């Protein structure tokens, strides 16, 4: 590696995450790797890029999305969780084609890149977001979803999951990999969970599942009652209470281990937190989606104290309504303080750690989420030249609490490739957004016709 091939990116503040903030710092990149981090005046490189009044940090890791739902932003306002899911499922099946879902996913990936997100972990039933991620050059994982609340569906669900994974693996790349996701306890039988756990272990596939998201789910798993139980009984699917929390029940299926990412984990008591920690499973916290749907506040502080790797996720924009991991970090800070009734139960700096290094740990992706020699060159930078951005006592507080929503990245780099400069996704195709808007008109017409 010659000095000439190195590029030094300079900024007023550098946040290495694993080390304290650096004023007037630089990150030197060579190809796809970071080779040096330190004071600006000591940076040695063939080319120097000045980001100016900006915060330069590792690219953000969004550990839970549903990119193919990007076109449904704002469509499901005010519905309770069960109706939200019911309408969402119907519109996806009856109105949106695979081409519509792909366009929506492409818009979602571009939104991620503009927000400084360099890694996305997406759950999808169609699998199409994998193509959107790969074509855009973002890093990511596509967890292919499986459903089957009736134990009699197990073999069929597993067979189509295996086929789907084989098909997607042909499209995978060094940056974008494939995992599996049994959707949730009220859509997946105990025997299907167990079968997927075994399959994932055999094939060394990463696993994610929605769990302990709602009070309705707890009633379903523990008592065999509530809206999810009623819906399954109406379909002649037998339902029995287990007397267990969702997470204890998941443990019984054999799914809890270090490859598993638990999505939400809101309704988790101290015994559940200990269970997750004992199995080395990981959690992705989606505070804005959880607040918006009225689901509750996950015990993130207790999870971190138990040594659990916790990531942040935006969930879909159909329950959020924006993909902005810095706002997610802010919401996490505010909710944890409310939950614990003390200030800074989670500090701004802790929250940025969850949004970067925490995400990398939770996804078992080594060498990202921090700025240090040897880490991958996934970077983002945000301008801090707004009038309210001074004085700066702590750049992490400035970024999380002061700079408002909607800010766009001055730089987003994935694997050494610059994908965003000054808030603009390089090479973005504007026709995709036009088609997503056209699909939204069909969604509205469908609603009028079915009401
Ligand atoms: Zn989700």
């Amino acid at each position: 590696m010659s000095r000439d091939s190195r590029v030094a990116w300079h900024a007023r503040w550098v946040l290495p995450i694993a080390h304290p903030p650096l004023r007037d710092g630089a990150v030197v990149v060579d190809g796809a790797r970071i080779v040096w981090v330190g004071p600006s005046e000591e940076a040695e490189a063939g080319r120097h890029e000045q980001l100016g009044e900006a915060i330069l940090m590792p690219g953000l890791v969004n550990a839970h999305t549903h990119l193919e739902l990007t076109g449904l932003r704002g469509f499901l306002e005010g519905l309770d969780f069960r109706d939200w899911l019911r309408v969402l499922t119907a519109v996806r099946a009856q109105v949106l084609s695979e081409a519509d879902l792909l366009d929506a996913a492409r818009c979602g990936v571009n939104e991620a890149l503009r927000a400084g997100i360099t890694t996305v972990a997406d759950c999808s039933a169609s699998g199409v977001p994998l193509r959107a991620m790969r074509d855009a050059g973002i890093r990511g994982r596509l967890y292919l979803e499986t459903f089957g609340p009736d134990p009699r569906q197990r073999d069929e669900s597993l067979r189509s999951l295996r086929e789907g994974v084989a098909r997607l693996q042909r499209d995978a790349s060094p940056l974008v990999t494939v995992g599996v996701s049994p959707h949730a306890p009220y859509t997946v039988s105990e025997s299907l969970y167990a079968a997927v756990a075994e399959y994932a272990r055999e094939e060394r596939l990463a696993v994610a599942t929605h769990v302990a998201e709602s009070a309705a789910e707890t009633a379903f798993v523990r008592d065999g009652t509530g809206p999810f139980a009623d819906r399954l009984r109406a379909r002649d699917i037998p339902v029995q209470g287990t007397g267990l929390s969702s997470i204890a029940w998941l443990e019984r299926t054999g799914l809890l281990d270090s490859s598993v990412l638990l999505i939400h984990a809101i309704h988790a008591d101290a015994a559940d937190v200990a269970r997750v920690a004992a199995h080395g499973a990981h959690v992705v916290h989606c505070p804005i989606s959880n607040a918006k749907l009225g689901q509750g506040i996950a015990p993130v502080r207790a999870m971190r104290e138990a040594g659990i790797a916790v990531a942040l996720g935006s969930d879909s924009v159909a329950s959020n309504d924006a993909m902005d991991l810095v706002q997610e970090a802010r919401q996490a800070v505010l909710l944890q303080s409310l939950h614990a009734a003390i200030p800074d139960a989670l500090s701004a700096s802790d929250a940025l750690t969850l949004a970067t290094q925490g995400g990398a740990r939770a996804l078992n992706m080594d060498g990202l989420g921090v700025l240090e020699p040897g880490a991958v060159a996934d970077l983002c930078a945000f301008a801090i030249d707004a009038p309210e951005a001074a004085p700066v006592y702590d750049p992490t507080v400035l970024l999380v609490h002061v700079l408002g929503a909607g800010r766009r990245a001055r730089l987003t780099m994935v694997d050494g490739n610059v994908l965003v400069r000054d808030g603009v996704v390089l090479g973005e195709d504007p026709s995709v957004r036009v088609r997503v808007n056209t699909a939204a008109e069909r969604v509205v017409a469908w609603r009028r016709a079915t009401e």
Side-chain angles (χ1 to χ4, degrees), residues 66-73 96-111 128-129 132 317 323 432-433 435-437 439:
H66 297 272
L67 293 167
E68 67 191 20
L69 303 182
T70 303
L72 295 179
R73 187 199 319 266
L96 298 175
S97 68
E98 206 158 284
D100 293 329
L101 296 177
L102 179 59
D103 284 335
R106 291 196 199 282
C107 279
V109 169
N110 287 337
E111 184 171 346
V128 298
V317 296
M323 197 198 295
V432 177
R433 219 176 313 165
R435 289 199 298 274
V436 169
N437 287 334

PDB file of all heavy atoms in Angstrom, residues 66-73 96-111 128-129 132 317 323 432-433 435-437 439:
ATOM      1  N   HIS A  66     -37.732  -2.679   7.115  1.00  0.00           N
ATOM      2  CA  HIS A  66     -38.534  -3.416   6.119  1.00  0.00           C
ATOM      3  C   HIS A  66     -38.549  -2.495   4.900  1.00  0.00           C
ATOM      4  O   HIS A  66     -39.485  -1.722   4.695  1.00  0.00           O
ATOM      5  CB  HIS A  66     -39.960  -3.660   6.614  1.00  0.00           C
ATOM      6  CG  HIS A  66     -40.053  -4.512   7.842  1.00  0.00           C
ATOM      7  ND1 HIS A  66     -40.126  -5.888   7.786  1.00  0.00           N
ATOM      8  CD2 HIS A  66     -40.089  -4.190   9.160  1.00  0.00           C
ATOM      9  CE1 HIS A  66     -40.211  -6.369   9.019  1.00  0.00           C
ATOM     10  NE2 HIS A  66     -40.194  -5.371   9.872  1.00  0.00           N
ATOM     11  N   LEU A  67     -37.477  -2.550   4.114  1.00  0.00           N
ATOM     12  CA  LEU A  67     -37.286  -1.574   3.036  1.00  0.00           C
ATOM     13  C   LEU A  67     -38.405  -1.609   2.011  1.00  0.00           C
ATOM     14  O   LEU A  67     -38.766  -0.583   1.430  1.00  0.00           O
ATOM     15  CB  LEU A  67     -35.945  -1.835   2.337  1.00  0.00           C
ATOM     16  CG  LEU A  67     -34.695  -1.576   3.185  1.00  0.00           C
ATOM     17  CD1 LEU A  67     -33.467  -2.168   2.495  1.00  0.00           C
ATOM     18  CD2 LEU A  67     -34.501  -0.094   3.441  1.00  0.00           C
ATOM     19  N   GLU A  68     -38.992  -2.787   1.788  1.00  0.00           N
ATOM     20  CA  GLU A  68     -40.012  -2.889   0.733  1.00  0.00           C
ATOM     21  C   GLU A  68     -41.306  -2.172   1.122  1.00  0.00           C
ATOM     22  O   GLU A  68     -42.197  -2.028   0.295  1.00  0.00           O
ATOM     23  CB  GLU A  68     -40.288  -4.358   0.400  1.00  0.00           C
ATOM     24  CG  GLU A  68     -40.944  -5.139   1.519  1.00  0.00           C
ATOM     25  CD  GLU A  68     -40.956  -6.650   1.255  1.00  0.00           C
ATOM     26  OE1 GLU A  68     -40.159  -7.128   0.424  1.00  0.00           O
ATOM     27  OE2 GLU A  68     -41.751  -7.337   1.894  1.00  0.00           O
ATOM     28  N   LEU A  69     -41.421  -1.725   2.381  1.00  0.00           N
ATOM     29  CA  LEU A  69     -42.629  -1.004   2.810  1.00  0.00           C
ATOM     30  C   LEU A  69     -42.457   0.513   2.732  1.00  0.00           C
ATOM     31  O   LEU A  69     -43.319   1.264   3.196  1.00  0.00           O
ATOM     32  CB  LEU A  69     -42.993  -1.392   4.255  1.00  0.00           C
ATOM     33  CG  LEU A  69     -43.213  -2.887   4.509  1.00  0.00           C
ATOM     34  CD1 LEU A  69     -43.620  -3.117   5.961  1.00  0.00           C
ATOM     35  CD2 LEU A  69     -44.283  -3.436   3.570  1.00  0.00           C
ATOM     36  N   THR A  70     -41.343   0.967   2.139  1.00  0.00           N
ATOM     37  CA  THR A  70     -41.066   2.406   2.103  1.00  0.00           C
ATOM     38  C   THR A  70     -42.199   3.187   1.438  1.00  0.00           C
ATOM     39  O   THR A  70     -42.495   4.315   1.825  1.00  0.00           O
ATOM     40  CB  THR A  70     -39.713   2.666   1.404  1.00  0.00           C
ATOM     41  OG1 THR A  70     -38.710   1.926   2.107  1.00  0.00           O
ATOM     42  CG2 THR A  70     -39.340   4.139   1.415  1.00  0.00           C
ATOM     43  N   GLY A  71     -42.871   2.572   0.466  1.00  0.00           N
ATOM     44  CA  GLY A  71     -43.973   3.257  -0.222  1.00  0.00           C
ATOM     45  C   GLY A  71     -45.243   3.373   0.607  1.00  0.00           C
ATOM     46  O   GLY A  71     -46.208   3.994   0.160  1.00  0.00           O
ATOM     47  N   LEU A  72     -45.266   2.776   1.814  1.00  0.00           N
ATOM     48  CA  LEU A  72     -46.479   2.848   2.652  1.00  0.00           C
ATOM     49  C   LEU A  72     -46.318   3.845   3.797  1.00  0.00           C
ATOM     50  O   LEU A  72     -47.129   3.862   4.723  1.00  0.00           O
ATOM     51  CB  LEU A  72     -46.825   1.457   3.206  1.00  0.00           C
ATOM     52  CG  LEU A  72     -47.220   0.426   2.146  1.00  0.00           C
ATOM     53  CD1 LEU A  72     -47.515  -0.926   2.787  1.00  0.00           C
ATOM     54  CD2 LEU A  72     -48.443   0.901   1.357  1.00  0.00           C
ATOM     55  N   ARG A  73     -45.309   4.682   3.713  1.00  0.00           N
ATOM     56  CA  ARG A  73     -45.113   5.713   4.737  1.00  0.00           C
ATOM     57  C   ARG A  73     -46.393   6.559   4.843  1.00  0.00           C
ATOM     58  O   ARG A  73     -46.878   7.091   3.855  1.00  0.00           O
ATOM     59  CB  ARG A  73     -43.948   6.607   4.315  1.00  0.00           C
ATOM     60  CG  ARG A  73     -43.519   7.623   5.341  1.00  0.00           C
ATOM     61  CD  ARG A  73     -42.703   8.759   4.730  1.00  0.00           C
ATOM     62  NE  ARG A  73     -41.739   8.372   3.723  1.00  0.00           N
ATOM     63  CZ  ARG A  73     -40.450   8.107   3.953  1.00  0.00           C
ATOM     64  NH1 ARG A  73     -39.981   8.190   5.162  1.00  0.00           N
ATOM     65  NH2 ARG A  73     -39.652   7.778   2.964  1.00  0.00           N
ATOM     66  N   LEU A  96     -49.648  -4.425  -4.273  1.00  0.00           N
ATOM     67  CA  LEU A  96     -48.252  -4.160  -4.634  1.00  0.00           C
ATOM     68  C   LEU A  96     -47.609  -5.361  -5.324  1.00  0.00           C
ATOM     69  O   LEU A  96     -47.631  -6.479  -4.801  1.00  0.00           O
ATOM     70  CB  LEU A  96     -47.457  -3.800  -3.373  1.00  0.00           C
ATOM     71  CG  LEU A  96     -47.949  -2.533  -2.651  1.00  0.00           C
ATOM     72  CD1 LEU A  96     -47.185  -2.330  -1.348  1.00  0.00           C
ATOM     73  CD2 LEU A  96     -47.826  -1.298  -3.541  1.00  0.00           C
ATOM     74  N   SER A  97     -47.062  -5.134  -6.500  1.00  0.00           N
ATOM     75  CA  SER A  97     -46.346  -6.190  -7.223  1.00  0.00           C
ATOM     76  C   SER A  97     -44.908  -6.260  -6.711  1.00  0.00           C
ATOM     77  O   SER A  97     -44.457  -5.397  -5.966  1.00  0.00           O
ATOM     78  CB  SER A  97     -46.325  -5.854  -8.716  1.00  0.00           C
ATOM     79  OG  SER A  97     -45.513  -4.704  -8.915  1.00  0.00           O
ATOM     80  N   GLU A  98     -44.193  -7.281  -7.174  1.00  0.00           N
ATOM     81  CA  GLU A  98     -42.792  -7.397  -6.778  1.00  0.00           C
ATOM     82  C   GLU A  98     -41.984  -6.196  -7.300  1.00  0.00           C
ATOM     83  O   GLU A  98     -41.079  -5.713  -6.628  1.00  0.00           O
ATOM     84  CB  GLU A  98     -42.229  -8.712  -7.311  1.00  0.00           C
ATOM     85  CG  GLU A  98     -41.081  -9.197  -6.467  1.00  0.00           C
ATOM     86  CD  GLU A  98     -40.850 -10.693  -6.604  1.00  0.00           C
ATOM     87  OE1 GLU A  98     -41.627 -11.454  -6.014  1.00  0.00           O
ATOM     88  OE2 GLU A  98     -39.894 -11.069  -7.306  1.00  0.00           O
ATOM     89  N   ALA A  99     -42.352  -5.704  -8.489  1.00  0.00           N
ATOM     90  CA  ALA A  99     -41.658  -4.522  -9.035  1.00  0.00           C
ATOM     91  C   ALA A  99     -41.914  -3.298  -8.145  1.00  0.00           C
ATOM     92  O   ALA A  99     -41.016  -2.483  -7.922  1.00  0.00           O
ATOM     93  CB  ALA A  99     -42.140  -4.247 -10.457  1.00  0.00           C
ATOM     94  N   ASP A 100     -43.154  -3.171  -7.616  1.00  0.00           N
ATOM     95  CA  ASP A 100     -43.452  -2.062  -6.695  1.00  0.00           C
ATOM     96  C   ASP A 100     -42.593  -2.165  -5.435  1.00  0.00           C
ATOM     97  O   ASP A 100     -42.078  -1.154  -4.933  1.00  0.00           O
ATOM     98  CB  ASP A 100     -44.927  -2.105  -6.257  1.00  0.00           C
ATOM     99  CG  ASP A 100     -45.888  -1.820  -7.393  1.00  0.00           C
ATOM    100  OD1 ASP A 100     -45.523  -1.055  -8.291  1.00  0.00           O
ATOM    101  OD2 ASP A 100     -47.014  -2.372  -7.365  1.00  0.00           O
ATOM    102  N   LEU A 101     -42.478  -3.396  -4.915  1.00  0.00           N
ATOM    103  CA  LEU A 101     -41.704  -3.588  -3.673  1.00  0.00           C
ATOM    104  C   LEU A 101     -40.229  -3.263  -3.920  1.00  0.00           C
ATOM    105  O   LEU A 101     -39.558  -2.686  -3.062  1.00  0.00           O
ATOM    106  CB  LEU A 101     -41.863  -5.019  -3.163  1.00  0.00           C
ATOM    107  CG  LEU A 101     -43.277  -5.433  -2.746  1.00  0.00           C
ATOM    108  CD1 LEU A 101     -43.303  -6.906  -2.338  1.00  0.00           C
ATOM    109  CD2 LEU A 101     -43.810  -4.576  -1.599  1.00  0.00           C
ATOM    110  N   LEU A 102     -39.728  -3.629  -5.111  1.00  0.00           N
ATOM    111  CA  LEU A 102     -38.326  -3.340  -5.430  1.00  0.00           C
ATOM    112  C   LEU A 102     -38.093  -1.827  -5.530  1.00  0.00           C
ATOM    113  O   LEU A 102     -37.114  -1.301  -4.988  1.00  0.00           O
ATOM    114  CB  LEU A 102     -37.919  -4.040  -6.732  1.00  0.00           C
ATOM    115  CG  LEU A 102     -36.483  -3.805  -7.198  1.00  0.00           C
ATOM    116  CD1 LEU A 102     -35.468  -4.252  -6.148  1.00  0.00           C
ATOM    117  CD2 LEU A 102     -36.218  -4.515  -8.522  1.00  0.00           C
ATOM    118  N   ASP A 103     -39.009  -1.123  -6.198  1.00  0.00           N
ATOM    119  CA  ASP A 103     -38.883   0.341  -6.268  1.00  0.00           C
ATOM    120  C   ASP A 103     -38.884   0.952  -4.867  1.00  0.00           C
ATOM    121  O   ASP A 103     -38.083   1.841  -4.558  1.00  0.00           O
ATOM    122  CB  ASP A 103     -40.048   0.943  -7.076  1.00  0.00           C
ATOM    123  CG  ASP A 103     -39.882   0.737  -8.574  1.00  0.00           C
ATOM    124  OD1 ASP A 103     -38.739   0.581  -9.035  1.00  0.00           O
ATOM    125  OD2 ASP A 103     -40.916   0.752  -9.282  1.00  0.00           O
ATOM    126  N   ALA A 104     -39.805   0.483  -4.032  1.00  0.00           N
ATOM    127  CA  ALA A 104     -39.902   1.012  -2.664  1.00  0.00           C
ATOM    128  C   ALA A 104     -38.610   0.743  -1.896  1.00  0.00           C
ATOM    129  O   ALA A 104     -38.091   1.606  -1.182  1.00  0.00           O
ATOM    130  CB  ALA A 104     -41.092   0.383  -1.942  1.00  0.00           C
ATOM    131  N   ALA A 105     -38.071  -0.470  -2.079  1.00  0.00           N
ATOM    132  CA  ALA A 105     -36.824  -0.816  -1.391  1.00  0.00           C
ATOM    133  C   ALA A 105     -35.668   0.057  -1.881  1.00  0.00           C
ATOM    134  O   ALA A 105     -34.817   0.486  -1.095  1.00  0.00           O
ATOM    135  CB  ALA A 105     -36.499  -2.290  -1.603  1.00  0.00           C
ATOM    136  N   ARG A 106     -35.640   0.360  -3.181  1.00  0.00           N
ATOM    137  CA  ARG A 106     -34.576   1.243  -3.709  1.00  0.00           C
ATOM    138  C   ARG A 106     -34.683   2.628  -3.070  1.00  0.00           C
ATOM    139  O   ARG A 106     -33.671   3.233  -2.698  1.00  0.00           O
ATOM    140  CB  ARG A 106     -34.681   1.358  -5.233  1.00  0.00           C
ATOM    141  CG  ARG A 106     -34.322   0.074  -5.988  1.00  0.00           C
ATOM    142  CD  ARG A 106     -34.063   0.390  -7.462  1.00  0.00           C
ATOM    143  NE  ARG A 106     -34.137  -0.771  -8.333  1.00  0.00           N
ATOM    144  CZ  ARG A 106     -33.167  -1.691  -8.449  1.00  0.00           C
ATOM    145  NH1 ARG A 106     -32.080  -1.590  -7.727  1.00  0.00           N
ATOM    146  NH2 ARG A 106     -33.314  -2.712  -9.288  1.00  0.00           N
ATOM    147  N   CYS A 107     -35.916   3.135  -2.933  1.00  0.00           N
ATOM    148  CA  CYS A 107     -36.100   4.433  -2.252  1.00  0.00           C
ATOM    149  C   CYS A 107     -35.632   4.346  -0.801  1.00  0.00           C
ATOM    150  O   CYS A 107     -35.016   5.280  -0.284  1.00  0.00           O
ATOM    151  CB  CYS A 107     -37.578   4.842  -2.260  1.00  0.00           C
ATOM    152  SG  CYS A 107     -38.090   5.578  -3.798  1.00  0.00           S
ATOM    153  N   GLY A 108     -35.935   3.225  -0.158  1.00  0.00           N
ATOM    154  CA  GLY A 108     -35.537   3.036   1.235  1.00  0.00           C
ATOM    155  C   GLY A 108     -34.022   3.020   1.390  1.00  0.00           C
ATOM    156  O   GLY A 108     -33.470   3.623   2.321  1.00  0.00           O
ATOM    157  N   VAL A 109     -33.332   2.354   0.487  1.00  0.00           N
ATOM    158  CA  VAL A 109     -31.865   2.304   0.554  1.00  0.00           C
ATOM    159  C   VAL A 109     -31.286   3.706   0.360  1.00  0.00           C
ATOM    160  O   VAL A 109     -30.367   4.124   1.077  1.00  0.00           O
ATOM    161  CB  VAL A 109     -31.297   1.324  -0.496  1.00  0.00           C
ATOM    162  CG1 VAL A 109     -29.790   1.470  -0.604  1.00  0.00           C
ATOM    163  CG2 VAL A 109     -31.662  -0.112  -0.135  1.00  0.00           C
ATOM    164  N   ASN A 110     -31.836   4.460  -0.586  1.00  0.00           N
ATOM    165  CA  ASN A 110     -31.335   5.822  -0.805  1.00  0.00           C
ATOM    166  C   ASN A 110     -31.580   6.706   0.420  1.00  0.00           C
ATOM    167  O   ASN A 110     -30.740   7.538   0.780  1.00  0.00           O
ATOM    168  CB  ASN A 110     -31.987   6.435  -2.049  1.00  0.00           C
ATOM    169  CG  ASN A 110     -31.439   5.812  -3.327  1.00  0.00           C
ATOM    170  OD1 ASN A 110     -30.343   5.276  -3.327  1.00  0.00           O
ATOM    171  ND2 ASN A 110     -32.213   5.866  -4.393  1.00  0.00           N
ATOM    172  N   GLU A 111     -32.743   6.525   1.053  1.00  0.00           N
ATOM    173  CA  GLU A 111     -33.036   7.286   2.278  1.00  0.00           C
ATOM    174  C   GLU A 111     -32.003   6.940   3.367  1.00  0.00           C
ATOM    175  O   GLU A 111     -31.521   7.816   4.089  1.00  0.00           O
ATOM    176  CB  GLU A 111     -34.458   6.943   2.743  1.00  0.00           C
ATOM    177  CG  GLU A 111     -34.910   7.746   3.950  1.00  0.00           C
ATOM    178  CD  GLU A 111     -36.400   7.549   4.262  1.00  0.00           C
ATOM    179  OE1 GLU A 111     -37.132   7.003   3.403  1.00  0.00           O
ATOM    180  OE2 GLU A 111     -36.815   7.949   5.359  1.00  0.00           O
ATOM    181  N   VAL A 128     -36.919  -9.136  -2.199  1.00  0.00           N
ATOM    182  CA  VAL A 128     -36.458  -8.187  -3.228  1.00  0.00           C
ATOM    183  C   VAL A 128     -35.508  -7.091  -2.696  1.00  0.00           C
ATOM    184  O   VAL A 128     -34.683  -6.594  -3.470  1.00  0.00           O
ATOM    185  CB  VAL A 128     -37.612  -7.522  -4.021  1.00  0.00           C
ATOM    186  CG1 VAL A 128     -38.411  -8.558  -4.785  1.00  0.00           C
ATOM    187  CG2 VAL A 128     -38.489  -6.671  -3.155  1.00  0.00           C
ATOM    188  N   PRO A 129     -35.583  -6.708  -1.406  1.00  0.00           N
ATOM    189  CA  PRO A 129     -34.643  -5.656  -0.977  1.00  0.00           C
ATOM    190  C   PRO A 129     -33.176  -6.045  -1.137  1.00  0.00           C
ATOM    191  O   PRO A 129     -32.310  -5.175  -1.207  1.00  0.00           O
ATOM    192  CB  PRO A 129     -35.003  -5.449   0.501  1.00  0.00           C
ATOM    193  CG  PRO A 129     -36.446  -5.820   0.589  1.00  0.00           C
ATOM    194  CD  PRO A 129     -36.578  -6.992  -0.356  1.00  0.00           C
ATOM    195  N   ALA A 132     -31.980  -4.427  -4.167  1.00  0.00           N
ATOM    196  CA  ALA A 132     -31.859  -2.974  -3.987  1.00  0.00           C
ATOM    197  C   ALA A 132     -30.584  -2.635  -3.221  1.00  0.00           C
ATOM    198  O   ALA A 132     -29.870  -1.691  -3.574  1.00  0.00           O
ATOM    199  CB  ALA A 132     -33.086  -2.446  -3.254  1.00  0.00           C
ATOM    200  N   VAL A 317     -40.734   2.436   7.639  1.00  0.00           N
ATOM    201  CA  VAL A 317     -41.244   3.809   7.720  1.00  0.00           C
ATOM    202  C   VAL A 317     -42.774   3.813   7.802  1.00  0.00           C
ATOM    203  O   VAL A 317     -43.376   4.849   8.028  1.00  0.00           O
ATOM    204  CB  VAL A 317     -40.756   4.711   6.564  1.00  0.00           C
ATOM    205  CG1 VAL A 317     -39.257   4.883   6.625  1.00  0.00           C
ATOM    206  CG2 VAL A 317     -41.220   4.194   5.214  1.00  0.00           C
ATOM    207  N   MET A 323     -36.545   7.215   8.250  1.00  0.00           N
ATOM    208  CA  MET A 323     -35.383   6.404   8.570  1.00  0.00           C
ATOM    209  C   MET A 323     -34.236   7.328   8.924  1.00  0.00           C
ATOM    210  O   MET A 323     -33.604   7.909   8.052  1.00  0.00           O
ATOM    211  CB  MET A 323     -34.998   5.500   7.402  1.00  0.00           C
ATOM    212  CG  MET A 323     -34.075   4.383   7.878  1.00  0.00           C
ATOM    213  SD  MET A 323     -33.173   3.603   6.571  1.00  0.00           S
ATOM    214  CE  MET A 323     -34.486   2.854   5.645  1.00  0.00           C
ATOM    215  N   VAL A 432     -37.457   6.250 -10.086  1.00  0.00           N
ATOM    216  CA  VAL A 432     -37.916   5.266  -9.089  1.00  0.00           C
ATOM    217  C   VAL A 432     -38.939   5.911  -8.154  1.00  0.00           C
ATOM    218  O   VAL A 432     -39.996   5.350  -7.873  1.00  0.00           O
ATOM    219  CB  VAL A 432     -36.722   4.714  -8.283  1.00  0.00           C
ATOM    220  CG1 VAL A 432     -37.205   3.748  -7.208  1.00  0.00           C
ATOM    221  CG2 VAL A 432     -35.729   4.012  -9.208  1.00  0.00           C
ATOM    222  N   ARG A 433     -38.638   7.128  -7.721  1.00  0.00           N
ATOM    223  CA  ARG A 433     -39.548   7.817  -6.790  1.00  0.00           C
ATOM    224  C   ARG A 433     -40.893   8.119  -7.470  1.00  0.00           C
ATOM    225  O   ARG A 433     -41.944   8.048  -6.846  1.00  0.00           O
ATOM    226  CB  ARG A 433     -38.898   9.108  -6.289  1.00  0.00           C
ATOM    227  CG  ARG A 433     -39.206   9.323  -4.824  1.00  0.00           C
ATOM    228  CD  ARG A 433     -38.509  10.534  -4.244  1.00  0.00           C
ATOM    229  NE  ARG A 433     -37.094  10.604  -4.594  1.00  0.00           N
ATOM    230  CZ  ARG A 433     -36.361  11.702  -4.444  1.00  0.00           C
ATOM    231  NH1 ARG A 433     -36.918  12.817  -3.988  1.00  0.00           N
ATOM    232  NH2 ARG A 433     -35.082  11.701  -4.758  1.00  0.00           N
ATOM    233  N   ARG A 435     -42.332   6.270  -9.712  1.00  0.00           N
ATOM    234  CA  ARG A 435     -43.108   5.017  -9.742  1.00  0.00           C
ATOM    235  C   ARG A 435     -43.664   4.673  -8.357  1.00  0.00           C
ATOM    236  O   ARG A 435     -44.773   4.154  -8.241  1.00  0.00           O
ATOM    237  CB  ARG A 435     -42.231   3.867 -10.268  1.00  0.00           C
ATOM    238  CG  ARG A 435     -41.911   3.967 -11.752  1.00  0.00           C
ATOM    239  CD  ARG A 435     -41.453   2.628 -12.326  1.00  0.00           C
ATOM    240  NE  ARG A 435     -40.230   2.128 -11.706  1.00  0.00           N
ATOM    241  CZ  ARG A 435     -38.991   2.463 -12.108  1.00  0.00           C
ATOM    242  NH1 ARG A 435     -38.807   3.302 -13.108  1.00  0.00           N
ATOM    243  NH2 ARG A 435     -37.935   1.957 -11.507  1.00  0.00           N
ATOM    244  N   VAL A 436     -42.902   4.978  -7.302  1.00  0.00           N
ATOM    245  CA  VAL A 436     -43.413   4.713  -5.942  1.00  0.00           C
ATOM    246  C   VAL A 436     -44.650   5.577  -5.675  1.00  0.00           C
ATOM    247  O   VAL A 436     -45.634   5.120  -5.081  1.00  0.00           O
ATOM    248  CB  VAL A 436     -42.306   4.964  -4.888  1.00  0.00           C
ATOM    249  CG1 VAL A 436     -42.877   4.954  -3.470  1.00  0.00           C
ATOM    250  CG2 VAL A 436     -41.217   3.897  -5.010  1.00  0.00           C
ATOM    251  N   ASN A 437     -44.640   6.815  -6.147  1.00  0.00           N
ATOM    252  CA  ASN A 437     -45.805   7.689  -5.970  1.00  0.00           C
ATOM    253  C   ASN A 437     -47.005   7.176  -6.760  1.00  0.00           C
ATOM    254  O   ASN A 437     -48.145   7.261  -6.292  1.00  0.00           O
ATOM    255  CB  ASN A 437     -45.466   9.119  -6.391  1.00  0.00           C
ATOM    256  CG  ASN A 437     -44.553   9.786  -5.372  1.00  0.00           C
ATOM    257  OD1 ASN A 437     -44.552   9.423  -4.200  1.00  0.00           O
ATOM    258  ND2 ASN A 437     -43.752  10.749  -5.817  1.00  0.00           N
ATOM    259  N   ALA A 439     -47.591   4.017  -7.450  1.00  0.00           N
ATOM    260  CA  ALA A 439     -48.081   2.843  -6.704  1.00  0.00           C
ATOM    261  C   ALA A 439     -48.928   3.307  -5.510  1.00  0.00           C
ATOM    262  O   ALA A 439     -49.948   2.682  -5.184  1.00  0.00           O
ATOM    263  CB  ALA A 439     -46.911   1.988  -6.235  1.00  0.00           C
TER     264      ALA A 439
END
